[in-house]
Amino acid sequence: MTATLAAVTAVTAESGIAPVPVAISSIGIAVAVFGATRMRAATPELVIDSHGVVIRLIGRIHWTEIDRVRVRTIDVGPKVLASRRLNTNLEIVLADPVSVISRMDRRARLLTALSPVAGWSRASVTASQVLPHTINDVIHDMRLYHPALRVET
């Protein structure tokens, strides 16, 4: 262990770079990048209004483009601490997927491309994305704006 530390000290002394300022500047850069990504994440994942819904990744989906919503729970892995790991999603089944896809940016199209292959709609929101609310809260709010919304559970 001491030999390794001596070798690192010798290399940094040889190059003229002090290890402490390099470490501090690296940490500073990492904090700045992390902060910038967290600021972007401060925008809501889901917005519900009289025109429809806005999913941060996908964009605006008008009420006329939504055929129905479906609550799906999937097992996402092995048991942890004697309980199953389940993930509950609110899937927005699109009446006209082509219209919604045409408005998505390239990144959103790539990230949602495999959803139909797995039998899912491209528009889904996980329970963790709407915290501190629940999926049932979201459905309730959707029905306030669009009472005719069909819900499958």
Side-chain angles (χ1 to χ4, degrees), residues 63 65-71 90-95 138-140 142-153:
W63 290 120
E65 297 172 318
I66 298 174
D67 180 54
R68 65 190 178 282
V69 295
R70 182 170 36 208
V71 179
L90 178 65
E91 180 182 18
I92 299 172
V93 181
L94 303 172
V138 171
I139 292 171
H140 176 267
M142 291 173 89
R143 281 191 160 160
L144 289 176
Y145 288 105
H146 188 61
L149 181 68
R150 291 186 359 207
V151 178
E152 294 178 6
T153 55

Side-chain angles (χ1 to χ4, degrees), residues 115-129:
S115 297
V117 174
W120 289 77
S121 168
R122 286 184 180 246
S124 294
V125 179
T126 65
S128 62
Q129 289 176 303

